[in-house]
Amino acid sequence: MDALKQGADTLFILLGGIMVLAMHAGFAFLEVGTVRKKNQVNALIKILVDFSVSTVVYFLVGYGVAYGTSFFVGAETLAQKNGYELVKFFFLLTFAAAIPAIISGGIAERAKFWPQLIATALIVGFVYPFFEGIVWNAHFGFQDWIEATTGAAFHDFAGSVVVHAVGGWIALPAVVLLGARSNRYRKDGAVSAHPPSNIPFLALGAWILCVGWFGFNVMSAQTLENISGLVAVNSLMAMVGGTLAALVLGKNDPGFVHNGPLAGLVAVCAGSDLMHPVGALAVGAMAGGLFVVMFTLTQNRWKIDDVLGVWPLHGICGAWGGIAAGIFGQQSLGGMGGVSFAAQLIGTVAGVTWAVIGGAVVYGVLKAVMGIRLSQEEEYEGADLTIHRISATPDREVSW
């Protein structure tokens, strides 16, 4: 029976890893559908290569930083318990690799290729797993201190803060340090619109992410005996809540409609195992509305050229999700209880602070040492031809 349980747990978390791996195709097509045609190849290549770099670095360094585990032992040792620890690494790697995938959407269309890969290595090797270990492996006594202070530990079941808020708030200093795309904001105060290049690709990316998210959330149980149908239904309710709110506030704009469900899913991750489905619907709806409002402010009033709106989507909605778990997880609102609003606020602020510092240091140093932005001519030509020497629809424009 023990062998059967070990095998079932290994298969369970493997399937979760595969579903979250598929989400990276969603990140890719969401970016492809949003950026201009001259940058579509670059978007596809960035996501795949970022994932590859993330895998190597997380295997060699990051997983050890977070969990103190080293894979530099014999294969016979690694295969124990059906190789569960290895498959757990695969599952958690897909979370870690989501960080550069999130950042990629914010810095699209004007970021240099190789400096971004260096940033990926630094972020996945240290910045992200350092905070991951604090929250999910109780490093440095931070969780113990929060529990002693507030009566409950910081709760983030599937990464509203650990993954999404951290990724979105790392992206913010990267976007600011890069600066806006050329001619995006003109001297006369006008804003030059860059509408999505391909709505079907954008929609495809959103749908792939939505489907994979049920692996992201439900399989965060990590063992079969801990699986919860409540997590699945709460994820569903938050997804549709975000969609409907974005539909109404976004005035039927397809970009908002397809990012609305993602905002809801980002927000519900932290408390998806605690909330009542009605609470999850409310959290998702608030996140969908929050995304529309903050994306509009970011792009038009504050003139922060975050191409895919990753700071509002992941950073703001992720932080909202961390705090919302402390509200809608309470028994008085139909939740499971065992969570503290103060603990959620402290943990969320800590994650945001660490992410901003980490992003500013990594991208600030890279900007000073080697530069992180394409030249004006390269940006005008497009990242596809400049970096990869081929466009998404090559004809005679191939450059050698």
Side-chain angles (χ1 to χ4, degrees):
M1 292 300 294
D2 285 344
L4 181 62
K5 179 184 181 304
Q6 290 167 7
D9 286 343
T10 302
L11 178 61
F12 174 74
I13 201 168
L14 172 62
L15 293 175
I18 292 170
M19 290 181 72
V20 185
L21 173 62
M23 290 177 69
H24 289 266
F27 282 120
F29 278 97
L30 189 71
E31 185 171 337
V32 167
T34 305
V35 300
R36 289 169 289 180
K37 290 182 179 180
K38 61 184 179 181
N39 297 295
Q40 290 179 329
V41 172
N42 181 246
L44 291 169
I45 291 177
K46 273 194 303 178
I47 299 298
L48 179 58
V49 178
D50 272 339
F51 184 87
S52 301
V53 171
S54 297
T55 300
V56 174
V57 172
Y58 197 65
F59 182 85
L60 295 176
V61 181
Y63 193 72
V65 170
Y67 301 102
T69 299
S70 171
F71 295 114
F72 293 98
V73 295
E76 184 177 351
T77 302
L78 294 176
Q80 290 178 0
K81 297 183 179 180
N82 300 95
Y84 177 83
E85 191 64 34
L86 277 176
V87 179
K88 180 182 175 182
F89 152 77
F90 173 33
F91 178 69
L92 292 171
L93 157 70
T94 59
F95 282 50
I99 303 293
I102 289 168
I103 297 168
S104 175
I107 64 175
E109 300 202 289
R110 76 273 201 203
K112 287 184 176 180
F113 185 69
W114 293 105
Q116 172 54 22
L117 293 185
I118 295 172
T120 292
L122 294 171
I123 290 165
V124 176
F126 178 73
V127 178
Y128 165 75
F130 182 83
F131 188 71
E132 177 188 17
I134 286 175
V135 175
W136 286 342
N137 203 36
H139 283 180
F140 307 113
F142 184 70
Q143 285 282 37
D144 294 336
W145 173 78
I146 291 180
E147 186 170 6
T149 303
T150 68
F154 173 59
H155 185 87
D156 191 359
F157 180 72
S160 284
V161 176
V162 174
V163 178
H164 297 287
V166 167
W169 284 90
I170 289 175
L172 179 60
V175 169
V176 172
L177 287 167
L178 265 176
R181 289 167 288 179
S182 296
N183 297 320
R184 180 76 170 98
Y185 305 113
R186 297 201 294 268
K187 292 181 180 179
D188 60 3
V191 177
S192 176
H194 292 321
S197 61
N198 192 310
I199 297 297
F201 275 165
L202 188 158
L204 174 64
W207 271 110
I208 294 172
L209 284 166
C210 287
V211 172
W213 223 296
F214 287 86
F216 195 98
N217 283 3
V218 175
M219 268 72 166
S220 285
Q222 297 191 18
T223 58
L224 199 57
E225 66 183 351
N226 290 326
I227 191 172
S228 171
L230 180 64
V231 175
V233 174
N234 281 344
S235 300
L236 175 67
M237 297 300 281
M239 169 187 157
V240 299
T243 304
L244 295 174
L247 171 72
V248 174
L249 290 179
K251 299 178 181 178
N252 204 22
D253 180 283
F256 286 137
V257 170
H258 287 97
N259 276 283
L262 309 184
L265 285 163
V266 164
V268 82
C269 288
S272 56
D273 61 328
L274 298 176
M275 300 176 188
H276 188 278
V278 175
L281 179 67
V283 169
M286 292 178 196
L290 194 59
F291 170 72
V292 173
V293 171
M294 292 304 297
F295 181 87
T296 304
L297 284 174
T298 301
Q299 297 288 330
N300 297 335
R301 182 168 299 179
W302 298 341
K303 297 183 178 180
I304 299 174
D305 193 14
D306 179 350
V307 180
L308 268 69
V310 299
W311 177 56
L313 180 64
H314 297 274
I316 299 295
C317 292
W320 157 240
I323 295 168
I327 301 171
F328 291 90
Q330 302 286 348
Q331 288 183 328
S332 58
L333 290 176
M336 299 280 286
V339 67
S340 160
F341 174 79
Q344 296 306 114
L345 183 61
I346 292 169
T348 300
V349 170
V352 167
T353 302
W354 176 248
V356 170
I357 293 171
V361 170
V362 169
Y363 286 97
V365 170
L366 285 172
K367 181 177 181 179
V369 172
M370 59 192 308
I372 56 176
R373 179 167 182 148
L374 297 173
S375 69
Q376 189 170 3
E377 182 180 352
E378 290 170 331
E379 184 183 341
Y380 177 80
E381 190 74 10
D384 292 357
L385 292 179
T386 297
I387 299 172
H388 310 291
R389 301 175 188 268
I390 192 169
S391 73
T393 53
D395 185 14
R396 296 184 180 178
E397 54 202 87
V398 177
S399 127
W400 300 99

